[in-house]
Amino acid sequence: AQKITQTQPGMFVQEKEAVTLDCTYDTSDQSYGLFWYKQPSSGEMIFLIYQGSYDEQNATEGRYSLNFQKARKSANLVISASQLGDSAMYFCAMRPPNNAGNMLTFGGGTRLMVKP
Amino acid sequence: ETGVTQTPRHLVMGMTNKKSLKCEQHLGHNAMYWYKQSAKKPLELMFVYSLEERVENNSVPSRFSPECPNSSHLFLHLHTLQPEDSALYLCASSQGGRPSGANVLTFGAGSRLTVL
């Protein structure tokens, strides 16, 4: 079974600074997908970035980048130039290779608070 | 309407009531999901429908009854719930079949359920 661990329940970052949110995972599969989602107070889960286990380069999407270290089984999210609107819960998730649906296993989340 | 819409956004019900949560997606997806988000717990997958057939029932108590009449609509029928069922219920959709690449889940804003 897959397991996702996010060890930082809450973090503060100063506006305009970069921040790294940690995610480690446990799987025996060789092929898998890793996702990060943002959940603002409104409740909706917003997709941020995806990394495939065979992707050789780290994924980037605007101010978001994923620091993927396969041997360490870590997939940390880096947010550059933090903005006040980045204050939210952030969830790391994994998709195993063989399932009938696009089912994700989520970590417990990290609450990010951006200080002005 | 675009994306994934969930109604009602908030619901308060007694333990003997019967109510339903509704989810509608306008993305042309053919797989739909119910997730439960309780306080201080990771998101838990409840049900998955792919091409209108249930492909996953994650050991959910029978007091939760899903229904997927077509690929655009998903319901969660609730009856004789317990106070511990109070949570945010998130609906999501995606392309069905064997997932590949960044085949992401698109989530609705959730229905916050309180059971008295």
Side-chain angles (χ1 to χ4, degrees):
Chain A
Q2 292 75 35
K3 184 178 179 182
I4 304 289
T5 303
Q6 296 180 249
T7 57
Q8 306 152 313
M11 288 190 69
F12 284 95
V13 63
Q14 197 68 40
E15 191 179 9
K16 299 182 184 179
E17 292 186 351
V19 62
T20 297
L21 307 183
D22 295 341
C23 172
T24 58
Y25 57 91
D26 185 19
T27 181
S28 57
D29 298 315
Q30 295 301 309
S31 175
Y32 48 87
L34 295 159
F35 298 78
W36 276 92
Y37 280 83
K38 171 185 178 181
Q39 187 180 38
S41 57
S42 59
E44 184 176 355
M45 298 280 283
I46 302 167
F47 166 72
L48 295 178
I49 196 166
Y50 165 82
Q51 178 85 41
S53 60
Y54 290 120
D55 294 342
E56 294 185 353
Q57 293 195 338
N58 288 339
T60 61
E61 289 285 351
R63 293 187 300 112
Y64 305 108
S65 61
L66 201 151
N67 184 359
F68 181 46
Q69 298 187 46
K70 192 171 183 178
R72 294 186 177 184
K73 294 187 177 178
S74 74
N76 298 338
L77 177 70
V78 180
I79 305 175
S80 63
S82 298
Q83 302 173 355
L84 296 178
D86 294 334
S87 294
M89 285 291 293
Y90 289 81
F91 293 93
C92 180
M94 169 185 283
R95 181 185 68 211
N98 296 313
N99 55 68
N102 193 9
M103 292 174 274
L104 302 184
T105 299
F106 285 83
T110 295
R111 180 173 298 282
L112 177 66
M113 291 152 282
V114 181
K115 296 186 292 184
Chain B
E1 292 266 14
T2 58
V4 180
T5 304
Q6 291 187 241
T7 55
R9 293 293 313 278
H10 299 273
L11 177 63
V12 179
M13 59 186 289
M15 292 168 59
T16 58
N17 291 157
K18 290 184 180 181
K19 297 287 184 182
S20 296
L21 306 180
K22 178 183 176 182
C23 177
E24 184 173 1
Q25 59 95 2
H26 304 271
L27 299 167
H29 291 160
N30 53 20
M32 297 188 77
Y33 311 75
W34 280 116
Y35 277 86
K36 176 183 179 183
Q37 186 177 26
S38 306
K40 300 182 180 179
K41 290 178 70 176
L43 273 78
E44 301 171 78
L45 178 65
M46 300 176 72
F47 301 104
V48 181
Y49 278 81
S50 180
L51 299 172
E52 301 161 34
E53 289 192 18
R54 191 188 308 178
V55 296
E56 180 75 13
N57 178 345
N58 203 18
S59 303
V60 179
S62 59
R63 56 186 183 269
F64 294 92
S65 175
E67 179 190 0
C68 187
N70 54 61
S71 59
S72 297
H73 294 85
L74 183 65
F75 294 89
L76 188 62
H77 303 300
L78 316 169
H79 60 98
T80 59
L81 295 191
Q82 305 298 312
E84 60 265 29
D85 297 323
S86 298
L88 181 68
Y89 289 85
L90 289 160
C91 174
S93 69
S94 77
Q95 284 303 112
R98 185 177 178 84
S100 63
N103 181 4
V104 302
L105 294 184
T106 302
F107 285 85
S111 293
R112 184 160 298 281
L113 173 66
T114 302
V115 182
L116 301 176

